[in-house]
Amino acid sequence: ACSLIDALVALVSALQKYSESHGDIMGKINILAQSLSYHFISWITKGSDGQNEDSNAEQTFKTVAQKAWINQCHFSVAKFVMANHYSDSKTLTMEQQKQHVRCFVFNLIGRLRLGDEAKTAILFSNDSLFLEQNNKEHTSSPLSSMLMQEICSSPEARAQLD
């Protein structure tokens, strides 16, 4: 399932890039992306409301490989939702969606392991996750900048991100 979701996100993202140069299908691809984003946000919202069927006991029995697949899937979903600027929801405002995605991403960052520095850098580079709701002054987050500096603090660390 994780591989399928990862592949679906990659396919829709590739179609979005392709449609930029082929305007005749751009509208349909954007509708598809917004629909997928809507479903992902619905899924994220259910998980953050405590309705996720995984219990803590089940979480401990997952193998390292299973955790890596789940983290990759969640990373793909988070990156896709952030790139598509959330969805038109009848039940959640944009700010509520953003809060759910923020919780989802912070949970994911906490689960990433050694070797996932590139994923962490991509998530940290999204300033909107780290800015306060009413903060109109800053276009970039000092926290995001500090975390990115920490990840890229040495030539070895930067080489590992490549």
Side-chain angles (χ1 to χ4, degrees):
C2 292
S3 179
L4 179 64
I5 290 173
D6 192 41
L8 176 64
V9 168
L11 175 65
V12 173
S13 297
L15 286 172
Q16 282 181 303
K17 288 178 185 170
Y18 174 79
S19 72
E20 289 173 2
S21 61
H22 296 81
D24 54 332
I25 62 168
M26 190 172 190
K28 292 176 183 174
I29 299 299
N30 285 339
I31 290 170
L32 173 66
Q34 286 299 317
S35 175
L36 189 59
S37 184
Y38 170 79
H39 288 292
F40 283 151
I41 287 179
S42 297
W43 173 70
I44 290 169
T45 303
K46 285 180 185 173
S48 66
D49 287 343
Q51 298 173 8
N52 199 343
E53 59 264 3
D54 285 344
S55 69
N56 287 337
E58 291 173 326
Q59 292 281 345
T60 59
F61 294 111
K62 291 186 177 158
T63 66
V64 173
Q66 288 171 323
K67 289 178 184 176
W69 276 105
I70 290 168
N71 288 346
Q72 176 59 40
C73 173
H74 288 181
F75 171 73
S76 295
V77 167
K79 193 169 123 181
F80 182 81
V81 169
M82 290 184 301
N84 285 288
H85 308 291
Y86 311 104
S87 68
D88 294 329
S89 172
K90 292 166 182 47
T91 56
L92 296 171
T93 65
M94 287 288 215
E95 197 54 46
Q96 289 171 323
Q97 291 178 47
K98 189 175 175 181
Q99 289 172 355
H100 285 290
V101 171
R102 182 181 293 135
C103 289
F104 179 74
V105 169
F106 290 165
N107 182 297
L108 173 61
I109 289 171
R111 288 183 284 128
L112 292 176
R113 298 183 171 273
L114 189 63
D116 290 332
E117 289 83 0
K119 290 177 186 150
T120 305
I122 290 169
L123 295 172
F124 282 163
S125 67
N126 191 322
D127 286 325
S128 67
L129 289 175
F130 298 94
L131 290 173
E132 294 179 27
Q133 300 177 30
N134 302 326
N135 189 349
K136 307 286 187 222
E137 298 172 16
H138 299 287
T139 56
S140 67
S141 164
L143 179 59
S144 176
S145 300
M146 180 191 70
L147 293 169
M148 284 299 292
Q149 283 177 332
E150 191 63 33
I151 287 178
C152 303
S153 61
S154 68
E156 294 86 16
R158 285 190 296 278
Q160 188 175 4
L161 292 175
D162 291 337

